[in-house]
Structures are given as structure tokens and as C-alpha cells.
Amino acid sequence: MSRSVLLTAAKEDTETFQSELRDETVSVLHYPLERYELVEDDQDVRDTFKLLDEFENIVHGSKRNAMFFVEAVEKYDKMDAVRNQLNLALNQHTADYLEEAGIPAVHPHSDGKAIDLLEFMLRIKHIGSTLYPCGDKTSESMPGLLRELDVPVEELVLFTLEGPEELKLQEYRKDIAAHDPAFIIFHSRRSVNRLLAAFPNLNYSEAHITTGDQAVTEKLEGEGIEVDSQAEGSWSSIRKIIKEELEG
């Protein structure tokens, strides 16, 4: 069996994870089964951009959220207005992307958890009306935390989730047939359905199966696949598991 890791999350979700794995003696088989596209010509987006001055904060919960936000901002020529807002990022990775796009951003020095950003907002006394760019099939904790404090939050849906195009999927299947991954990562509940459907002939019993959290473990066990290790809901905790297995 090769010392390889099968990874199916979107590229923007795994850049840091893959970069960290380069320090290990393991290769990454990255076949993104999640592809995101900008919502085109959306009246709600246009209306929201007209009201940017009414928001005290723009909160970016992930690099993907920021990427599609920047794309929409450029499309509707709202960059100057966005630069005048307080842009808050959940982590350094997202803040770096915004800075590179010309949007000053601040973030808490933490592990990138929603509660840390909320506490940061409370400290800097910017806990007012918040714009939260997101996708239509994402479930994120930050908007809910703000609503618990009775903070007005508008979730601005900018992108939708798609799967890989058929030719790309065929390419993935052809490539993985030449490999026998040592680790298979199921990072989310959604990844269970997508990975099993994409690679039905993969030998799951011989690989080390790692899940992102308890909910993923339960779903995978419901499919009759035994789980070897369970992470703590973050890519860093998944990397820790792989590192420990490699060194064990």
C-alpha cells in the first residue's frame, strides 16, 4: 500500500492542510468532489450591495466565502464601499486572501473558531448589524452565535455547491485505479455520499479511515464502513491523526 492520503474536499478548504502534509513522508491524492459556483445575476445580491452602508461588519467565515464575495464585489463595482467597512476574517488564511484582494481585514489570533471571532468582536465593540457572505448549502455557526446575542445578521448567498463535471470524475476514477491509498478522509457528512458514489470500487477495508467528527463517523458506520480514527472537527486535528499514524 502506498503512503498516500485520499482527499476529496474543495481545493480552497484544503490548501493549508496539504501544505502541512508536505512536511510528512506522504503524498496526497486530491480529487475534489465539491465544486462551487457563483450565483449569477441575483437580485438579492444586487439589493444587498446597495445597502452596504447599513452594516457595521462584514464577516468572512472561510476563504471560499471571501473568494466569492470578492468576485461579486468586483462584478458589481463595490470595492471602494467594501474597503470602507470593517472586514473580519475567521482565520489568517482568509485574512491573507482579503488583503491580497485589496480589502483590509482583521482576525483574532486563535484557531479560527467562530466563538473566538465573536469574542474578538465584543472586545473591539463591533457587534452591530453584520453581513455574512456564504453559500446556499453551507451550515456555519457564526450567524447563529450572533443571533443568540440578538445581533442582526444577513446571510448573503453568493455561491452554490456542484459536483465535478463528468469528464473530470472519469479522470479521477482512472487515476485512483493506479493507487491504493493508506488513508481515506471523510471530512464531512456530505463527503460520505459523494466519496462512496464516486469511487464504489475502492477498497475501504484496507485503508485507515479517518472522519472529521462524530456525526461523520455515525453516518459512515451506517454505511457499514468501520472507522479507525475520528478528528475533532478541524483540518488540523485530521493532520494530527495522520502524523501520529505515520510515526506509530
Side-chain angles (χ1 to χ4, degrees):
M1 180 178 291
S2 66
R3 291 169 66 87
S4 58
V5 178
L6 174 59
L7 183 64
T8 61
K11 176 183 177 182
E12 60 270 19
D13 289 334
T14 63
E15 288 173 334
T16 301
F17 177 78
Q18 292 195 60
S19 176
E20 292 172 343
L21 274 186
R22 294 191 186 105
D23 297 333
E24 311 295 342
T25 55
V26 64
S27 60
V28 178
L29 305 173
H30 188 206
Y31 307 119
L33 300 179
E34 298 173 358
R35 179 172 57 92
Y36 296 85
E37 295 182 349
L38 185 70
V39 173
E40 296 291 342
D41 196 29
D42 188 276
Q43 185 63 48
D44 289 339
V45 175
R46 292 197 297 271
D47 291 344
T48 299
F49 277 134
K50 292 177 183 177
L51 303 173
L52 277 178
D53 291 341
E54 297 185 7
F55 297 99
E56 189 167 349
N57 311 294
I58 303 174
V59 173
H60 305 272
S62 68
K63 181 181 177 181
R64 177 171 54 249
N65 291 4
M67 288 171 58
F68 282 101
F69 182 71
V70 169
E71 187 173 348
V73 165
E74 292 175 342
K75 177 180 178 179
Y76 294 109
D77 194 25
K78 290 293 183 178
M79 186 61 76
D80 288 341
V82 169
R83 289 192 181 111
N84 289 329
Q85 295 294 103
L86 176 62
N87 286 268
L88 296 162
L90 194 64
N91 52 50
Q92 185 66 55
H93 193 48
T94 302
D96 288 345
Y97 176 82
L98 290 166
E99 294 281 354
E100 291 170 3
I103 299 175
V106 294
H107 74 96
H109 294 282
S110 65
D111 294 331
K113 296 178 181 178
I115 190 65
D116 296 323
L117 181 54
L118 179 60
E119 292 175 352
F120 180 72
M121 293 170 70
L122 288 168
R123 288 202 306 272
I124 63 175
K125 298 181 180 179
H126 270 270
I127 199 69
S129 180
T130 298
L131 180 64
Y132 193 87
C134 60
D136 64 349
K137 296 181 177 66
T138 57
S139 178
E140 304 183 42
S141 58
M142 189 68 192
L145 289 174
L146 289 169
R147 291 191 180 100
E148 287 179 7
L149 296 177
D150 294 325
V151 176
V153 182
E154 178 165 341
E155 295 182 68
L156 179 63
V157 175
L158 294 174
F159 56 91
T160 187
L161 173 63
E162 301 288 348
E165 297 176 348
E166 184 59 32
L167 287 178
K168 180 61 69 174
L169 182 57
Q170 291 177 13
E171 179 184 320
Y172 293 164
R173 287 171 173 163
K174 181 178 179 180
D175 189 63
I176 201 172
H179 298 89
D180 192 12
F183 299 89
I184 300 176
I185 297 172
F186 291 86
H187 61 280
S188 67
R189 285 174 55 85
R190 182 171 58 237
S191 73
V192 175
N193 293 337
R194 288 177 178 265
L195 205 157
L196 295 180
F199 308 120
N201 298 321
L202 198 61
N203 188 348
Y204 296 99
S205 63
E206 294 298 323
H208 183 101
I209 305 297
T210 300
T211 63
D213 56 33
Q214 181 63 36
V216 185
T217 296
E218 292 173 358
K219 184 172 179 61
L220 197 59
E221 290 177 343
E223 296 289 341
I225 295 178
E226 183 176 348
V227 174
D228 297 295
S229 57
Q230 177 182 301
E232 300 174 356
S234 68
W235 285 106
S236 61
S237 62
I238 293 175
R239 179 187 177 275
K240 181 180 179 181
I241 287 173
I242 293 175
K243 180 178 175 63
E244 290 175 348
E245 288 298 322
L246 289 171
E247 295 175 348

